[in-house]
Amino acid sequence: MGKGFYISKTVGIVAVILGAGALAAIIALSVVYSQEKAKNNNNNNVLPTDGGTTLTPPVTPAPSSELWDKYRLPKSLVPHYYNVTLWPRLTADPATGLYIFTGQSTVEFECAEETDVILIHSNKLNYTRQNSHLATLTSVNPVVTAPSVKSSWLQNVTQYLVLQLDGKLAKGEMYILHTDFTGELADDLGGFYRSEYIEDGVKKVVATTQMQPTDARKAFPCFDEPAMKAVFYITLIHDSGTVALSNNEINFFSSPKENSGVKTVFHPTKKMSTYLLAFIVSDFSFISNTIDGVLIRIFARKPAIAAKQGEYALNITGPILKFFEKYYNSSYPLPKSDQIALPDFNAGAMENWGLITYRETALLYDEAFSSNSNKERIATIISHELAHMWFGNLVTLRWWNDLWLNEGFASYVEYLGAHEAEPDWNVKDLIVLSDIHRVFAVDALASSHPLSSKEEDIQKPAQISELFDAISYSKGASVLRMLSDFLTEDVFTMGLTTYLAEFAFGNAVYKDLWNHLQMAVNASDMQLPDTVHNIMNTWVLQMGFPVVTINTNTGSIAQQHFLLDPDSEGIPPSPFKYTWIVPIKWMKTGVEQTPQWLEKESSRISTKISGSDWLLANLNVVGYYRVNYDQGNWDRLLNCLSTSHQLIPVLNRAQLVDDAFNLARAKIIPTVLALNTTKYLNNERDYIPWQSSMNNLEFFYLMFDRSEVYGPMQDYLRKQVTPLFEYYKNMTGNWSKVPDGHMDQYNQVNAISLACRTGLEECQNLAKLWFNQWMETNKNHIHPNLRAIMYCNAIAAGGAEEWEFAWLQFKNASIATEAEKLRSAMACTKQPWLLNRYLEYTLDPNMIRKQDATSTIVYIANNVIGQSLAWDFVRAQWSYIFHQYGGGSFSFSNLINGVTKRFSTEFELQQLKQFKADNAQVGFGSGTLAVDQSIERTIANIKWVAENKENVLDWFKAETKSK
Ligand SMILES: *[C@@H]1O[C@H](CO)[C@@H](O)[C@H](O)[C@H]1NC(C)=O
Ligand SMILES: *[C@@H]1O[C@H](CO)[C@@H](O)[C@H](O)[C@H]1NC(C)=O
Ligand SMILES: *[C@@H]1O[C@H](CO)[C@@H](O)[C@H](O)[C@H]1NC(C)=O
Ligand SMILES: *[C@@H]1O[C@H](CO)[C@@H](O)[C@H](O)[C@H]1NC(C)=O
Ligand SMILES: [Zn+2]
């Protein structure tokens, strides 16, 4: 799946507007993880509901020995092909009000081991066969008689259809299981589900699917494990005037007897996993082209296609596909590549083989409304999903415990594919901000976990779902980038190519990839300190990462497990005692040196550092570790930053800031040293170091924006950002055009964002002027890149009139990205009554869609004035919110973390504890651990503020007085 699955929309947008509440968001992620972990340890016998959230109290596990009580399929039956016909009804049944689908399916399977029980996955399906059993069994070989069914039932907890037979299936024989069934076409975003939207005042319904990880069994009975690959013959019945799509091309149409519609019969699929299936019925239209015989189509709502919103996606898909063919040295395995934008979609996108599904914001682009950030998201997410067409789909990991390799790989190479489509963007550099720094924050906590899990620890659907986290995606991407770097890209892709060739249409485990990379290493003349396997084990089998400490006085180099909270308890033991085999690339005073490896706890650097030399390690942040130095080397680095910062590569300038702030949080270096890394920013023009600084200063805003530190901090930051603001003002001819470069476009937004935030009047006036022009002329001339930030500032400066105008525009927006920008900006108002009314709107689905309710509350809490209002609101409405919005797995922890992330006083701590006690009866569902972690975080914040407030205040004062 695309990354949107674990990075909530909330986080993405708030990050753009406020310069990233990255840490809080990341803590929220780790909270979800550990909360799921805790839950699964408790509730061994509770059926997980959709999204992996269960509100049922723990029950004592019953002793279970029957096959159907186990979550994994026995190895006795192996499917060869399925024949599935599905008929979704796009109007509700007038009697029941339900949307349903009906289906028939047959599966032909081979008996690999004698058995008298058939288990096949099935969830929330009702069986309608006209005999006494739920399914019928026949034998393929006419001389073999199939045993008859003795009893059949649905084992709801483990999600099986169970058939007990009166005799054994014979080893080596083929059998066919026939079923007829009905399911609900619910709006629950999983399995076969419906998505609704309004077009020309008319409600329209789309039937679509999201199978990964375990919801194919909600669409038809199937052996729903990734290693149970089979061929699928798919038929869809639908009204004429609608289009049916599936993984493969259409074979033929026919007219069913049952209704006046059409039957679309698809060519059989390649041998594939169930989680990659897709079926869609809609009245969408499309645009297409053909590249080297591969048909490429982009589908979306008719008005979106008419407005050419699919054009950008179509333009870049061909080149990215060609890039991956070259990269993998393997031609695209399918005859067509469809991509479709859906109004309701849970993840960012899903890599169904040949029919990729997307959120509208992840596929549709409109020059008049989309920012460069929207555009980049489209390029990277398309690239991510296309990368899966080989890595994941052609060769599939055998079981979900290796999910990190599938998602980490796609999350790494998505940058390579996007770079091919947009070579001027330098998009590859952004992995440092978007993945490495982001996941460092999670992976530095005691509650982190290793990339690799044991197969036996991942059994239940909820355990599988919880693997779709920042560790799998972003740490996976980071360590694979490091691996590709020290192997060199040639060796890396060589191993990849032979791996894909060996396991095509089959399954593998992560060690198979290491073996192929080792073969490529052996065929080269490369020298590594150990095998690929042994080096990578240290990164894959233990959680966390090292801080490498280099003492330039003594030449010693050492490593230790980096923990954000040095007092963390409960760190699990590691097979490598938290040491890593670390590749170290470094430079001395601007000159790159021969790379070195750190294999044990400590070693020595190979070059002498003397006089004014400085040493900088982890060049271009290709290594997955932080670096600390002796004070003398820090001082020389700071000096270099302030005198000639360009001698230090741009990614390392971002690294110095991020490492310093985090080493300070971990009490390894003083906070003042971290603040000193921001002193050179008045000379910095590059985006990545600025963004890194703003991410780290966000914590200071949260801790101090209601205290006496705020004024001097604002003065300091305004002083630092003013030159940047002037720089972009000149570059853009007084804001009359946007900068050419992608990074410059981003940094222009940062310049405006921080200038306005720190009260630079010229900036705020600009926001008011542009927004008023829009209100007066009804023509919006604000460039899409600047809209989110300009709307926010204009609404903050304005009153009811501005707010009402934004609301009207929000309700009438013709593209999802524009509505998103307005929805977050409306939370920026400083009028408490408007904020309170907006909070009330979140409880009315006619005002704010359910899926957007909790993120809207969090936007309001991000506003320093909205903070306490949102907290009061959540406390007052907890019971209602809990019952209305209990379904989404991330929303509760995001909500609780979002409204409490500023907490840093004893009083707030007491309120939080009271909140926990008052609602013990109602409960906190998926937010349970978030409540406890918020209490922990508040205690840590109180401590941090007590220890740092004086110093920080003095530092900001001194920095603003001195000039
Ligand atoms: C699939 O089933 C339909 C009837 O449900 C049948 O007409 C068709 O021949 C079957 N196809 C295969 C490949 O078995
Ligand atoms: C499973 O659920 C169905 C429908 O809700 C019910 O009819 C059936 O009895 C349940 N099966 C078991 C074993 O509890
Ligand atoms: C399936 O059966 C259950 C129990 O009888 C019923 O509540 C549900 O509505 C049925 N679902 C469909 C889609 O018919
Ligand atoms: C797509 O490509 C065409 C042809 O190169 C170009 O004219 C058009 O502007 C591109 N559209 C987008 C949205 O990039
Ligand atoms: Zn993915």
Side-chain angles (χ1 to χ4, degrees):
M1 267 184 272
K3 235 181 266 181
F5 191 77
Y6 81 85
I7 303 171
S8 72
K9 256 196 297 192
T10 325
V11 177
I13 298 215
V14 172
V16 170
I17 292 188
L18 298 177
L23 189 68
I26 275 155
I27 288 176
L29 293 172
S30 73
V31 167
V32 170
Y33 175 79
S34 29
Q35 162 240 322
E36 292 284 344
K37 200 155 60 176
K39 189 176 68 200
N40 285 305
N41 290 342
N42 296 336
N43 303 6
N44 284 317
N45 238 11
V46 175
L47 172 65
T49 57
D50 301 309
T53 309
T54 165
L55 306 178
T56 322
V59 267
T60 323
S64 60
S65 53
E66 303 290 1
L67 279 179
W68 47 81
D69 291 322
K70 298 188 181 11
Y71 284 88
R72 293 296 302 273
L73 287 167
K75 306 218 182 312
S76 45
L77 308 178
V78 180
H80 283 200
Y81 78 79
Y82 293 79
N83 186 353
V84 183
T85 302
L86 293 170
W87 180 10
R89 314 299 153 83
L90 301 190
T91 47
D93 180 321
T96 61
L98 283 185
Y99 288 81
I100 63 154
F101 62 93
T102 51
Q104 293 139 31
S105 102
T106 59
V107 50
E108 183 172 317
F109 58 86
E110 181 180 342
C111 173
E113 289 162 22
E114 272 196 349
T115 178
D116 58 2
V117 182
I118 295 175
L119 296 181
I120 185 164
H121 283 110
S122 170
N123 186 19
K124 298 188 180 155
L125 297 173
N126 292 346
Y127 288 82
T128 53
R129 198 136 265 255
Q130 299 302 313
N131 66 24
S132 52
H133 293 296
L134 302 178
T136 321
L137 185 69
T138 55
S139 153
V140 170
N141 183 343
V143 305
V144 174
T145 319
S148 47
V149 178
K150 204 160 67 180
S151 65
S152 64
W153 70 91
L154 295 170
Q155 191 69 24
N156 298 324
V157 173
T158 42
Q159 305 178 345
Y160 290 124
L161 161 60
V162 186
L163 303 179
Q164 268 191 318
L165 309 175
D166 71 352
K168 297 217 185 248
L169 298 174
K171 184 169 169 172
E173 288 301 330
M174 303 285 297
Y175 299 90
I176 300 181
L177 188 73
H178 310 257
T179 53
D180 299 328
F181 51 89
T182 306
E184 189 184 344
L185 195 68
D187 57 354
D188 58 359
L189 308 170
F192 205 13
Y193 73 93
R194 76 174 194 278
S195 169
E196 295 178 355
Y197 61 99
I198 307 281
E199 189 175 301
D200 298 332
V202 178
K203 184 172 102 171
K204 301 232 170 164
V205 176
V206 181
T208 183
T209 52
Q210 168 62 38
M211 306 306 199
Q212 193 187 29
T214 57
D215 278 336
R217 63 191 70 169
K218 252 177 99 208
F220 66 101
C222 54
F223 298 93
D224 198 10
E225 293 191 357
M228 293 287 191
K229 288 195 173 186
V231 170
F232 297 84
Y233 289 80
I234 306 294
T235 300
L236 292 173
I237 299 175
H238 54 105
D239 290 342
S240 43
T242 60
V243 195
L245 296 172
S246 187
N247 304 80
N248 208 342
E249 288 179 319
I250 293 169
N251 187 355
F252 60 90
F253 301 102
S254 70
S255 301
K257 296 187 277 299
E258 300 93 327
N259 72 349
S260 58
V262 244
K263 211 171 190 171
T264 299
V265 181
F266 296 91
H267 282 291
T269 66
K270 295 263 193 298
K271 196 174 171 201
M272 65 182 284
S273 303
T274 48
Y275 81 87
L276 294 167
L277 290 167
F279 325 121
I280 302 177
V281 175
S282 71
D283 80 342
F284 285 7
S285 56
F286 68 93
I287 49 173
S288 68
N289 63 26
T290 303
I291 295 219
D292 292 348
V294 177
L295 174 66
I296 296 171
R297 295 186 294 188
I298 307 294
F299 284 84
R301 291 177 290 107
K302 281 177 179 152
I305 291 296
K308 295 192 160 49
Q309 291 173 3
E311 196 179 78
Y312 180 64
L314 187 66
N315 280 3
I316 63 172
T317 297
I320 296 176
L321 215 50
K322 287 280 122 190
F323 166 77
F324 282 121
E325 288 192 328
K326 214 165 68 216
Y327 184 75
Y328 294 128
N329 192 16
S330 166
S331 44
Y332 179 68
L334 306 177
K336 63 110 172 168
S337 169
D338 285 334
Q339 299 179 89
I340 185 166
L342 296 161
D344 295 288
F345 194 74
N346 199 24
M350 175 63 211
E351 71 266 22
N352 313 301
W353 217 9
L355 175 52
I356 308 175
T357 43
Y358 292 84
R359 259 180 200 239
E360 289 197 347
T361 50
L363 192 68
L364 302 182
Y365 173 82
D366 189 326
E367 209 178 351
F369 294 101
S370 307
S371 64
N372 66 321
S373 151
N374 298 143
K375 193 174 193 178
E376 182 193 305
R377 174 163 153 84
I378 293 167
T380 50
I381 205 159
I382 287 179
S383 175
H384 179 108
E385 306 309 331
L386 292 178
H388 276 311
M389 298 298 114
W390 291 260
F391 201 101
N393 299 7
L394 178 63
V395 177
T396 309
L397 275 321
R398 190 173 72 200
W399 183 245
W400 298 108
N401 62 315
D402 281 344
L403 179 83
W404 70 271
L405 182 56
N406 192 26
E407 292 305 349
F409 185 86
S411 301
Y412 164 51
V413 300
E414 71 181 47
Y415 291 100
L416 311 189
H419 175 70
E420 191 70 12
E422 299 286 357
D424 303 331
W425 283 0
N426 278 330
V427 67
K428 288 197 243 179
D429 285 351
L430 293 175
I431 194 172
V432 173
L433 291 174
S434 309
D435 292 286
I436 302 178
H437 285 174
R438 188 190 289 272
V439 73
F440 266 171
V442 185
D443 206 17
L445 302 177
S447 59
S448 188
H449 61 99
L451 275 172
S452 183
S453 311
K454 290 209 186 75
E455 183 165 348
E456 58 269 27
D457 290 343
I458 307 299
Q459 302 255 337
K460 293 184 252 182
Q463 292 170 325
I464 297 168
S465 294
E466 81 187 40
L467 290 176
F468 290 82
D469 70 354
I471 296 290
S472 293
Y473 282 79
S474 294
K475 183 176 183 178
S478 305
V479 304
L480 289 168
R481 171 171 173 265
M482 175 170 73
L483 172 63
S484 164
D485 183 77
F486 72 70
L487 291 183
T488 71
E489 188 160 293
D490 282 350
V491 169
F492 186 75
T493 51
M494 167 85 75
L496 204 51
T497 299
T498 58
Y499 164 84
L500 290 173
E502 178 174 348
F503 298 101
F505 303 105
N507 295 85
V509 295
Y510 79 89
K511 288 178 187 162
D512 292 322
L513 180 60
W514 297 169
N515 288 342
H516 279 268
L517 292 172
Q518 188 65 50
M519 286 189 264
V521 168
N522 297 346
S524 76
D525 53 7
M526 166 175 300
Q527 294 298 315
L528 292 178
D530 206 328
T531 60
V532 170
H533 192 93
N534 288 341
I535 295 171
M536 292 312 287
N537 273 350
T538 68
W539 299 97
V540 167
L541 300 181
Q542 62 186 345
M543 71 176 197
F545 56 90
V547 48
V548 170
T549 304
I550 300 175
N551 186 326
T552 57
N553 299 322
T554 63
S556 86
I557 162 170
Q559 58 166 304
Q560 106 198 48
H561 183 192
F562 180 78
L563 287 164
L564 194 62
D565 176 2
D567 308 325
S568 310
E569 283 167 10
I571 310 291
S574 151
F576 305 100
K577 303 195 168 60
Y578 293 106
T579 59
W580 288 261
I581 304 183
V582 190
I584 300 184
K585 284 194 164 172
W586 54 295
M587 63 166 40
K588 186 170 84 174
T589 325
V591 182
E592 188 166 354
Q593 308 289 305
T594 313
Q596 227 179 298
W597 287 84
L598 175 58
E599 296 172 57
K600 303 253 163 51
E601 288 96 280
S602 64
S603 173
R604 307 194 60 77
I605 47 173
S606 51
T607 306
K608 179 122 188 67
I609 304 290
S610 56
S612 61
D613 283 344
W614 46 261
L615 185 150
L616 177 74
N618 200 6
L619 223 44
N620 294 320
V621 200
V622 287
Y624 186 70
Y625 55 90
R626 293 197 183 281
V627 189
N628 186 23
Y629 307 96
D630 57 287
Q631 183 66 45
N633 195 61
W634 272 115
D635 289 341
R636 293 190 297 274
L637 283 167
L638 289 173
N639 183 51
C640 178
L641 279 179
S642 65
T643 55
S644 44
H645 65 269
Q646 262 125 354
L647 282 181
I648 297 175
V650 62
L651 291 178
N652 288 96
R653 305 204 295 272
Q655 170 215 25
L656 285 172
V657 173
D658 197 68
D659 279 356
F661 273 89
N662 283 281
L663 291 167
R665 287 284 294 279
K667 297 188 196 163
I668 296 172
I669 63 170
T671 301
V672 164
L673 172 50
L675 286 168
N676 282 337
T677 62
T678 67
K679 282 169 71 168
Y680 90 104
L681 286 174
N682 54 351
N683 292 319
E684 179 63 89
R685 300 290 176 265
D686 274 304
Y687 164 67
I688 293 177
W690 262 107
Q691 186 61 48
S692 176
S693 308
M694 287 171 69
N695 291 346
N696 283 292
L697 288 164
E698 190 58 31
F699 177 69
F700 283 66
Y701 266 110
L702 291 176
M703 291 305 102
F704 297 131
D705 66 4
R706 299 171 297 169
S707 84
E708 63 192 304
V709 180
Y710 183 65
M713 177 167 90
Q714 288 283 80
D715 292 344
Y716 170 70
L717 292 175
R718 188 171 54 250
K719 186 185 87 171
Q720 294 301 78
V721 79
T722 301
L724 192 70
F725 185 80
E726 294 297 328
Y727 172 76
Y728 282 110
K729 184 175 154 189
N730 291 335
M731 180 189 280
T732 60
N734 208 8
W735 314 111
S736 61
K737 54 184 178 45
V738 294
D740 294 330
H742 186 60
M743 297 292 176
D744 269 328
Q745 292 185 24
Y746 277 138
N747 216 23
Q748 182 199 15
V749 176
N750 275 347
I752 292 178
S753 157
L754 192 58
C756 279
R757 187 178 196 176
T758 54
L760 190 74
E761 223 167 296
E762 187 181 344
C763 181
Q764 295 177 335
N765 290 340
L766 208 55
K768 284 186 270 191
L769 178 72
W770 287 354
F771 198 81
N772 282 337
Q773 279 173 354
W774 183 21
M775 286 174 67
E776 277 159 22
T777 63
N778 222 18
K779 288 213 177 68
N780 187 350
H781 293 297
I782 308 174
H783 189 275
N785 286 355
L786 307 181
R787 284 188 184 180
I789 192 65
M790 284 300 170
Y791 294 173
C792 175
N793 279 288
I795 288 169
E801 209 187 331
E802 284 78 7
W803 203 95
E804 299 296 352
F805 178 77
W807 178 259
L808 206 67
Q809 299 296 329
F810 166 70
K811 279 304 198 187
N812 294 326
S814 66
I815 183 164
T817 51
E818 179 70 8
E820 283 293 309
K821 291 174 182 117
L822 287 158
R823 187 166 63 85
S824 59
M826 286 184 286
C828 297
T829 179
K830 297 205 167 103
Q831 308 283 325
W833 73 276
L834 287 172
L835 289 167
N836 269 330
R837 193 181 60 175
Y838 198 20
L839 283 165
E840 295 290 338
Y841 285 0
T842 62
L843 299 182
D844 180 354
N846 295 318
M847 305 298 255
I848 299 287
R849 279 182 299 153
K850 259 188 176 188
Q851 63 178 41
D852 295 331
T854 54
S855 61
T856 304
I857 299 172
V858 172
Y859 289 153
I860 295 170
N862 286 339
N863 177 340
V864 62
I865 295 164
Q867 159 72 58
S868 58
L869 304 177
W871 170 232
D872 288 347
F873 177 79
V874 167
R875 283 191 292 173
Q877 302 287 346
W878 181 254
S879 169
Y880 182 81
I881 295 173
F882 183 77
H883 291 113
Q884 286 297 303
Y885 302 106
S889 48
F890 288 120
S891 52
F892 274 157
S893 42
N894 274 350
L895 179 63
I896 289 171
N897 283 303
V899 298
T900 64
K901 66 185 175 194
R902 263 196 191 79
F903 284 9
S904 51
T905 65
E906 276 301 330
F907 181 62
E908 285 161 335
L909 179 62
Q910 292 319 316
Q911 285 191 337
L912 192 48
K913 287 180 170 165
Q914 190 65 45
F915 173 62
K916 184 182 172 186
D918 289 348
N919 291 288
Q921 288 294 318
V922 179
F924 300 95
S926 64
T928 307
L929 221 92
V931 173
D932 288 333
Q933 292 229 350
S934 293
I935 291 176
E936 248 183 82
R937 190 178 52 227
T938 304
I939 294 169
N941 287 348
I942 293 172
K943 233 166 72 186
W944 187 87
V945 169
E947 283 165 13
N948 288 284
K949 190 172 167 187
E950 285 301 309
N951 282 343
V952 169
L953 179 60
D954 291 348
W955 190 90
F956 281 127
K957 278 185 174 161
E959 282 308 312
T960 39
K961 281 215 184 80
S962 66
K963 297 191 186 104

